Every structure is written in C-alpha cells, then in structure tokens.
Amino acid sequence: MQRRALIQGAGATGLLALLGGCATSRVPESAKVVVVGGGYGGATAAKYVRLLSDHKIDVVLIEPNDSFISCPLSNLVLEGARDLSSLATSYDGLRRQHGITVVKDYVSAVDPAKKTVTLARGGSIRYDKLVLSPGVELQLDTVPGLSEAHAEGRVLQAWKAGPETVALRKQLEALPDGGVYALTVPEAPYRCPPGPYERVALVASYFKKAKPKSKVVLFDANPDVTSKGALFKKAWSELYPGLIEYRPQHKVVGIEGNTLKFEVQENFKADVLNVLPQQRAGQIAVQTGLANSNKRWVGVDYLTFQSTAAKDIHVIGDAIQLAAGMPKSGHMANSHAKVAAAAIVSELSGLAPNPKPLLTNTCYSFVAPDLVVHVASVHEYVEAEKTFKTVAGSGGLSSERNALEAQYALGWAKNIWADALG
C-alpha cells in the first residue's frame, strides 16, 4: 500500500522519473544510508530513501532531539496564538511505518575516507551514502558581547524553534507596558528570509492586545526588507500604526548590557534584545571540511546534492550554497531531500540520476494570527549551467494579506509534516 501511494505521489511530482527506470530491482540489499539531522531536510531524505528503494536500503537517522519541532509557525508562539508542543512531531512514524533506525545522539566526527560517522556518546556507524542536513550555525562570536549575553539568557535568538522560543515569549510577557523590543537581522543569506519581518508583526500583534504603549524596533543590516517587502510594510502600517519602527542598513557590531552598538549609527538601548547574528552551515559540515564557499556554506553538485568536497556525502537544506532565487526555507529543504534521495537510490542501483529534477517552494508568513501572505516558486535544473534556475512565470506573491491564506498555511504545515515524518 505504501508503494502504491508513493507511486501515485511520485507521478504527480516527477519523483518517479528521477529513479531512472527499475532502480529498486538493482538496489543491493546491504546498502546503508546514514542521515544526520532530523529537520525538514533530513527526515524527508530518510523517509524517501526507504520508499524509493522499496525499503531495501537500510537507513539510520541520527538526531539529538526527542521530536521534530517546526520553525515555520514558531513566531505564533511569541504572539501567544500557539504552544510550542503544537509544532512538535514524533519520529515514531519513521520508525514504525518505514523501518528507519532513529538514533538519539550527536555526530561528533565524519571520516569521508573510511565512510564512517562517530557518535558523541561513543561508537561509529559505517555508510555507503551519507546525507548531512545540519541546518545553520548561528555565529554568536561575530558580535562582541553576544556569546556572553546569550549564555546568561539575557539576549536570545530563538531562530531554532525550541526552548529559546518559549524563553523569548516569557521575556515579552515580563516586559512592562511602554517597554521596547528590538530585533536585529544579519546581512543575507540567512535562514528563513521573511522570518524576521513576520516576527515583528506578530510581536506587535501581542503588544497591541496586551501592552499597547510598547514598541517594536527592527534593525536590518540589509538595505531593505529581503522578502515580501511591500506586503509586510503595508501590514505593519495598517495593522500596527505607531507600534513598529523599521531601520534598514543597521549592522549590529556589539552588545553591552541592554545596548546595541552599530557599525555607523548611534547606540540603541531596549528592554528585550533579540539578536540574529551571521549564520553558516551547521558545525559538523564545517568541521568535516565541506564548507568550501566563503568558509560558510557547502558547495554541492545540484543534480545530486553531493558535496563538491567529498564523494558520497550529500548535503541538503539551509547548509548549502544556494542557487540564485533558492531560499533557505523548510519547504526548499524538503525539496532538496527528495532530489538527493532519488539520486542516492539511483546511484546505489548503478543508474544515472534523473537529469531534469525540479524543486518547489512555498513560504507563508503570518502578519496577524489570522492573516497571511505567501511567496511561491518552481526551480528547474539547467544542465548547460549546472544549476537550478527559477521557472519563468512560476509561483508569485499574494496580492494582499487575507484570512483564507491563514487556512492554507495551516494546511501546508500539516501536509509537509506528514510528508516528512508520517
């Protein structure tokens, strides 16, 4: 039944074509794929390697957390519209329905020559193919004073949904009416381009209800809003007049107490500081020597998502050097994973990967708990340039914020969580 459902789904998305014919009949029974990281990319890759190989390839997923927690929708926790637990999904579906071995641990080292990963709690696991989906590392040390303030719990990032999201919500609850919340955005690229702009809208939504004398200040190192700019600015001015102040081209270069220091402009003091520093590929990718693009991101062969620095290691999601127009988003990581999984199954079967993979992306942003805007796109692999390019005329932006898209956004979340983990 799972095979039939897969074929139906694969036919709709073009995944079946990626397998290169009867790939599953050639898969060696002893093949093993290890996946590091159980987020949108890793969980999807683990599941789809099993499905596309007709459950012949042994898959081990290594993830330190008990459950998957979605970053998309987590700004609603700051608003008070959702609890963090509502964003969590167990890995039991991958275990029970797909026979994936889930190991709760960190990977402390990768040996590309021996094809092994070493676990933090001891022992190692051999692989034929390795999928790294490590997400991003927030470079706290690029802002003097931030590492110490973060360690003390005074200045949070909450950019990886989890305990920090709850802690930031508590800081907002403790803020007196009339207080100031300041969020800083690093220069692009960073994880989830529209995320900061959604966050200030939802914090303002909370202030409007509970602390109407308070204020939100967004310091953006970029020259303008990097995603859905007109839609966000319209929502800020019409839904939260006087509550949100946007300051572009403000690059934070230091923190002292509750004061932000900027490269050019005057210092600014706020009651709650939420600092998002520069980001790079997750630590295990950097440590393994895969971050060969500006020492921050992993270069990959976009046809298979194999690292350009190490054979048989495929890297997906926010950690890679992106093709033009390709955002660092959960949906995009899910798309990377399917192309990589299909390429892995094909290669382990002695077949060439599909020469024309497609990627899709949709990103919904809440500007209020019941109002949403979106951006969507389709990306095709162009052999002549060996990269993905956005398909002309695909996707697009919302014409305006609306309540129907809020329902679409919640439906999108349920569907993609089921696709990755169900």
Side-chain angles (χ1 to χ4, degrees), residues 94-277:
L94 296 182
R95 294 188 183 94
R96 294 172 183 168
Q97 297 183 47
H98 304 289
I100 294 167
T101 301
V102 181
V103 177
K104 184 182 176 182
D105 206 341
Y106 289 96
V107 169
S108 60
V110 175
D111 188 330
K114 294 181 179 177
K115 289 191 169 186
T116 59
V117 297
T118 301
L119 302 177
R121 295 179 181 175
S124 63
I125 302 175
R126 178 199 63 81
Y127 64 81
D128 294 293
K129 289 279 193 179
L130 175 64
V131 178
L132 287 184
S133 186
V136 297
E137 177 187 357
L138 281 80
Q139 296 179 273
L140 301 176
D141 58 354
T142 59
V143 179
L146 179 56
S147 294
E148 296 82 357
H150 180 259
E152 294 167 3
R154 290 189 291 109
V155 179
L156 304 173
Q157 41 86 12
W159 211 233
K160 299 181 180 180
E164 279 204 30
T165 310
V166 176
L168 181 56
R169 168 65 186 179
K170 289 180 178 177
Q171 287 188 345
L172 295 173
E173 289 174 333
L175 183 80
D177 192 8
V180 177
Y181 161 77
L183 172 65
T184 73
V185 185
E187 293 175 321
Y190 57 87
R191 165 181 277 181
C192 190
Y197 313 112
E198 177 190 71
R199 176 167 292 185
V200 295
L202 292 178
V203 171
S205 172
Y206 168 58
F207 285 173
K208 185 177 178 180
K209 292 181 294 186
K211 306 173 192 289
K213 297 178 182 176
S214 299
K215 187 175 180 180
V216 175
V217 183
L218 175 56
F219 293 102
D220 194 340
N222 299 286
D224 203 349
V225 174
T226 61
S227 177
K228 310 172 197 167
L231 291 166
F232 276 119
K233 289 178 178 177
K234 192 168 188 287
W236 296 342
S237 64
E238 293 180 354
L239 298 176
Y240 314 111
L243 266 175
I244 299 176
E245 182 179 337
Y246 177 64
R247 300 189 187 184
Q249 294 186 308
H250 276 65
K251 182 178 180 180
V252 64
V253 294
I255 293 174
E256 189 172 298
N258 272 33
T259 298
L260 296 169
K261 295 181 176 181
F262 294 97
E263 194 172 42
V264 177
Q265 298 85 357
E266 293 183 353
N267 297 342
F268 185 89
K269 187 174 184 180
D271 299 287
V272 174
L273 298 183
N274 183 189
V275 176
L276 304 179

Side-chain angles (χ1 to χ4, degrees), residues 283-316:
Q283 185 182 25
I284 190 63
V286 176
Q287 178 184 319
T288 308
L290 307 180
N292 53 3
S293 180
N294 298 321
K295 298 182 179 179
R296 290 177 63 189
W297 308 111
V298 177
V300 297
D301 173 354
Y302 290 119
L303 189 61
T304 62
F305 287 89
Q306 180 171 268
S307 161
T308 56
K311 190 173 182 297
D312 294 324
I313 299 180
H314 299 250
V315 186
I316 57 176

Side-chain angles (χ1 to χ4, degrees), residues 370-388:
D370 57 350
L371 295 172
V372 163
V373 296
H374 85 273
V375 62
S377 56
V378 179
H379 308 256
E380 62 181 351
Y381 183 75
V382 179
E383 170 61 26
E385 301 179 47
K386 298 191 181 307
T387 190
F388 278 96

